[in-house]
Amino acid sequence: MTSTHAFWLAGRQATGETTLDVTSPWDGRTVGTVSVPTDAQVEEAVAAAYAVRDEFAATPAHVRAAALDHVSRRLVERTEEIAELISAENGKPMKWARGEVGRAVSVFRFAAEEARRFNGGEAQRLDTDAGGVGRLALTRRFPRGVVLGIAPFNFPLNLCAHKIAPAIAVGTPIILKPAPATPLSGLIIGELLAETELPDGAWSILPVANDKMPALVQDERLPVISFTGSDKVGYAIMDSVPRKHLTLELGGNGAAVVLADFASDADLDWAASRIATFSNYQGGQSCISVQRVIADASLHDRLLPRIVKAVEAQVTGDPSDDATEVGPLVNEDAAKRVEAWVDEAVQAGAQLVTGGKRDGAAYAPTVLTDVPADATLACEEVFGPVLTVTKVNGEQEAFDAVNASKYGLQAGVFTHDTKTAFRAHRALEVGGVIVGDVPSYRADQMPYGGAKQSGVGREGVRYAMDDYTYERVMVLTGLDL
């Protein structure tokens, strides 16, 4: 028997009239049961957030920073417990689950640091023109209003942290909706926030069903929406509320480019190892996992067998086993979709080099070559442990291949040449270029987001704080400057 987990309504625990069972993708067991808020309770949470917005904005920085520091410390203390919870509800191997907890620790610590220095104000003298003599402009940032944060299943703790921590840092209330498949990790953050002295209504964590979200999205008391998920859902939200302020992180089909100068045996071993690891970590369920390898023709035939060997060496199995590197996908339907896309590509002429087998919610790490450009696997985000390898001739053809995608989140460029790195930075239509490594690197304090259909706006603690606020200018008159 599992106990029912309450949700967090305006800083206090609450239960609704129905429940949601959270099951393990690995073995189907019930990991936990979550109480689902009623429509009236959702309204109560929104009303509380809206009512407290001015009070929270005026909260001293040290109070908000102390709360964020507290959450960071408590995450450290409970690392193993929370990692086990992430692994159980998400299917993420423990090595990656522990890493996710560590990242969330950093997110709250970064937010505490930024809260202490954010919004100090920028003074600008205006007497550079005769009409501005005796005047001084002071610019500060103020919250846009209550944030609706919508988090995905693939990083159930850290991406909740990326919604909540910046909101607390700037003093704006937030309503967080965790993913229905993985609500338990988000609710843990509620436990830790409840130990702080933040005002009632400053935060709520509501495991609301997806079909209840349109009303929340439309609510005028929630002028800011931060969404991480599929492009289909993200753009549906954007179309439905064109006057709201949105941050959308919508995924991609990340490319790793291996250029001709990265050709020594050590170089190729390094590239193959990184590509194999980060095409399969999280079961490939990462927006910046390696989906496409674009290899220069001069080294392609030496690189491909190395990639295949490294992919086949990935340890698959029970995510609770410390040795496991690749666990299941979030559910069997997700694995069946990946299977269908691979089968479609093979039927269209792609060569299956390794993998291509499904067992329930698990899909074997897979490598394909000669994938047709119009195959679903080439055009869409696979969100599974699948990798395609393409041969190109030269730098320009490689960069063109990256840009041929409708997505543009991040790209990795394996090169030793500094001039090439700067050309890649200029040429690639992505939100981030990672030189000497795969596109899967993300530091939680750096700006993170995409171009084209990978979304709008930027995450990353300080950058999300900017997104949650706007500039307001005050002009002082009659000064003796």
Side-chain angles (χ1 to χ4, degrees):
M1 295 289 290
T2 59
S3 59
T4 298
H5 297 259
F7 54 85
W8 295 92
L9 194 167
R12 72 178 193 279
Q13 286 188 307
T15 56
E17 298 172 354
T18 61
T19 59
L20 169 70
D21 287 338
V22 181
T23 58
S24 164
W26 172 246
D27 57 17
R29 76 185 190 280
T30 299
V31 176
T33 300
V34 173
S35 187
V36 177
T38 65
D39 291 348
Q41 289 171 320
V42 172
E43 166 59 28
E44 183 181 350
V46 174
Y50 187 75
V52 81
R53 67 194 190 285
D54 291 339
E55 175 190 344
F56 193 28
T59 302
H62 74 86
V63 173
R64 289 179 271 117
L68 293 161
D69 273 330
H70 174 83
V71 174
S72 183
R73 288 194 300 271
R74 293 286 283 135
L75 286 171
V76 172
E77 294 168 2
R78 297 177 63 177
T79 291
E80 195 67 13
E81 168 202 349
I82 297 172
E84 289 174 356
L85 183 63
I86 292 171
S87 181
E89 70 171 344
N90 173 277
K92 182 173 298 191
M94 281 296 294
K95 65 175 292 184
W96 300 115
R98 292 188 186 100
E100 181 173 349
V101 179
R103 289 181 60 188
V105 168
S106 296
V107 168
F108 279 97
R109 186 182 75 249
F110 294 146
E113 295 167 354
E114 292 293 351
R116 292 184 173 96
R117 59 176 170 251
F118 186 71
N119 202 24
E122 178 180 323
Q124 182 180 19
R125 63 187 305 158
L126 302 178
D127 61 355
T128 50
D129 287 318
V133 172
R135 297 178 186 267
L136 179 74
L138 180 66
T139 303
R140 297 169 61 198
R141 302 191 70 90
F142 293 87
R144 296 177 184 273
V146 183
V147 175
L148 173 60
I150 306 172
F153 70 82
N154 57 327
F155 289 85
L157 179 74
N158 196 44
L159 292 182
C160 286
H162 269 286
K163 308 299 181 190
I164 292 175
I168 292 172
V170 301
T172 192
I174 181 167
I175 306 289
L176 177 75
K177 177 201 177 300
T182 56
L184 299 174
S185 301
L187 292 174
I188 284 284
I189 297 177
E191 289 184 33
L192 307 184
L193 287 172
E195 299 169 354
T196 71
E197 298 180 359
L198 296 177
D200 294 343
W203 55 275
S204 291
I205 302 176
L206 307 177
V208 180
N210 287 342
D211 62 4
K212 297 288 186 180
M213 286 307 294
L216 264 178
V217 167
Q218 294 283 343
D219 197 307
E220 294 183 357
R221 294 168 294 179
L222 307 174
V224 180
I225 298 176
S226 178
F227 171 85
T228 301
S230 72
D231 55 345
K232 179 180 178 181
V233 176
Y235 284 120
I237 292 173
M238 175 179 280
D239 292 343
S240 70
V241 285
R243 292 176 180 83
K244 288 197 176 189
H245 184 83
L246 270 64
T247 298
L248 304 177
E249 198 280 279
L250 304 180
N253 53 5
V257 176
V258 188
L259 293 175
D261 71 292
F262 212 83
S264 72
D265 286 341
D267 286 341
L268 296 181
D269 288 344
W270 162 256
S273 173
R274 298 294 285 176
I275 288 166
T277 297
F278 288 97
S279 64
N280 294 293
Y281 84 128
Q282 328 289 341
Q285 298 169 124
S286 168
C287 299
I288 47 177
S289 67
V290 184
Q291 182 171 333
R292 299 180 292 153
V293 174
I294 299 167
D296 191 85
S298 64
L299 49 74
H300 172 275
D301 292 348
R302 295 168 57 216
L303 176 64
L304 178 59
R306 285 175 161 88
I307 291 175
V308 173
K309 181 179 179 180
V311 166
E312 292 177 342
Q314 296 288 300
V315 179
T316 63
D318 185 345
S320 67
D321 187 333
D322 283 348
T324 298
E325 296 170 305
V326 186
L329 276 70
V330 69
N331 54 44
E332 189 168 354
D333 285 345
K336 287 180 176 178
R337 177 190 55 77
V338 172
E339 179 182 45
W341 287 13
V342 171
D343 290 348
E344 174 197 69
V346 170
Q347 291 168 10
Q351 299 299 309
L352 179 64
V353 183
T354 191
K357 298 178 181 179
R358 181 180 66 83
D359 182 7
Y363 196 81
T366 297
V367 178
L368 301 100
T369 60
D370 302 320
V371 176
D374 60 351
T376 305
L377 198 62
C379 302
E380 302 295 336
E381 179 180 40
V382 67
F383 227 59
V386 177
L387 181 67
T388 69
V389 182
T390 302
K391 183 189 300 185
V392 295
N393 292 299
E395 175 187 303
Q396 188 59 54
E397 191 172 323
F399 292 170
D400 288 344
V402 175
N403 290 340
S405 172
K406 67 180 180 180
Y407 296 109
L409 188 49
Q410 291 196 164
V413 181
F414 287 91
T415 181
H416 293 297
D417 188 82
T418 303
K419 291 182 179 179
T420 299
F422 276 91
R423 286 196 297 270
H425 196 204
R426 177 180 293 277
L428 297 180
E429 299 166 352
V430 295
V433 177
I434 313 301
V435 177
D437 205 349
V438 291
S440 315
Y441 176 78
R442 177 184 179 184
D444 291 285
Q445 72 270 40
M446 77 180 191
Y448 176 75
K452 299 190 286 189
Q453 291 187 34
S454 286
V456 295
R458 290 293 181 269
E459 293 184 349
V461 176
R462 172 56 193 265
Y463 302 90
M465 291 168 68
D466 286 342
D467 238 351
Y468 289 172
T469 56
Y470 70 98
E471 294 174 319
R472 187 185 299 168
V473 177
M474 176 175 65
V475 176
L476 300 173
T477 306
L479 302 178
D480 184 4
L481 300 175

